[in-house]
Amino acid sequence: MKKIVAKFGGSNLKKKEDIQKLVRVIKAYDRPMVIVVSAFYGITNHLIKAMEEVKKDETNIEKLIRFLRELKEETILENFEDKEWQDKTLNAVQSRIKELGRYLTGIHYIGDVPEFVEDVILSYGERLSSLVLTSILQSNGIDAEEALPEQMPLVTDGEFGNATVDFEVSAPNVQKRLAGNKVYIVPGFYGVSEQGKVTLLGRGGSDYSAAAIARCLEAESLDVWKDVDGFMSADPKLVRAPKRITHLSYAEAAELSYFGASILHPRTVEPLKEVGIPIHIGNIDAFDGSVAPRTIVHGTEIVTDCIIKSVTYSDDFCILKMRGPGVGLKKGVLAKVTVALDRAGINIKSVITSQIVINLLLSAKDIKRAYKIVDELELSSITEVIASEQISTIAVVGEGLLDRPGVAGRLFMSLAKKSINVQMIVSGASAVASYFMVAKDDRDAAIEAIHDEFFQ
Ligand code: ASP
Ligand code: MG
């Protein structure tokens, strides 16, 4: 029988009583499977902050350890009735926190955090989740076992902080380690390099971990559990009567995730698309005993009557404008700029050029640095560099977007009626997504206008 891989994220692990919801869902599956877990909500951020503080002051190690111990203790006391189970789990948590403490002491003495140590430290949020959940499942009579990525091993390309899984190497390892008829609990967010060093899979990367494991196992499905109702026609906080999307193609889900829908990490789709494993999105808060998904992401491309399935936004696209008469015609300008940005580790999200301007879309965290780098290049063909930060990118996504006339007309008319000015439009780069920029202040009104036009 094929396995199901289910992923529970930080949003499923906010409060100590949330674990009981997970237990109910896992019981409802009633079959051997693989569970991938994130750290408890906010813990990774907490570890990042603590690492910095520990460098300066050793007493912060004790503070962090106490914080984690108390947090886990609360969860353990809440979730075990049996004193023996409580003690056993507390002891196991204690020794795992001790391991973390040793790494922290190390960085305090060196006064620096080498990247290979940083990745190990940040993996402890997930390691504590998997340990506690395994124990709770066992005490509930489930045949559960923790399976750490280094025991498989789940092998990556070795890039610290943002590694990619090597499926070919990992698949036989993962299949072997997870072959039994148990419920395996795997901490997400990391794999190991060929040399066995822990490498993180990027922030929010446990969705990608789960996708990678599903791919290695040739799983029946990847079931991602959230505390919301799957993919929606727009952010429910911004529009009246948002509609749930029951089916999305892989391309649609990938674009929606890239443009800010926070249901899936943007890297989740890529490993599964190639092998046709469906992604099921469940809502743990609406769980009624059935594990039936709220949204299914799969290989079937469905064109709906209104074409657009969802409108989403991201505030993480800033524009770096490079003006100069004829930049569009001169060769080598873009090459020099992109090489310099690449050297600085800056990712370019998109490039839009004209005869007199080159626009680069960059992440908000990179824009100031990128401005400085390009300015210092002092290219003779660029007369002015401008960084625009106060913008929002809005994307409409749906199969058939490029093939059906009239969609763009309706879209921009709905914005014009509300006097919303569109600063830049990109259409055609993806067959299922068009996106455009508006002033940040216009974002909510723009989404409402588009949603009203297509869904009311
Ligand atoms: N805990 C990690 C993070 O916060 C991974 C994840 O939540 O997916 O980035
Ligand atoms: Mg997450």
Side-chain angles (χ1 to χ4, degrees), residues 119-131:
D119 281 26
V120 179
I121 290 176
L122 296 187
S123 72
Y124 271 85
E126 272 62 18
R127 290 169 192 271
L128 288 168
S129 287
S130 58
L131 178 69

Side-chain angles (χ1 to χ4, degrees), residues 327-396:
V327 280
L329 274 181
K330 282 181 192 136
K331 69 177 173 59
V333 183
L334 193 54
K336 282 182 195 125
V337 170
T338 54
V339 166
L341 295 180
D342 184 47
R343 278 209 189 106
I346 292 175
N347 177 43
I348 299 169
K349 295 186 174 213
S350 189
V351 184
I352 306 147
T353 66
S354 78
Q355 164 67 346
I356 53 164
V357 197
I358 297 176
N359 296 285
L360 299 183
L361 303 189
L362 305 169
S363 183
K365 71 178 190 330
D366 294 329
I367 188 78
K368 290 206 166 65
R369 217 153 47 91
Y371 176 88
K372 197 159 167 270
I373 289 166
V374 174
D375 200 43
E376 283 170 0
L377 283 177
E378 293 187 3
L379 297 176
S380 58
S381 42
I382 296 178
T383 51
E384 191 184 13
V385 186
I386 303 162
S388 310
E389 297 183 58
Q390 292 309 312
I391 56 160
S392 275
T393 297
I394 296 179
V396 291

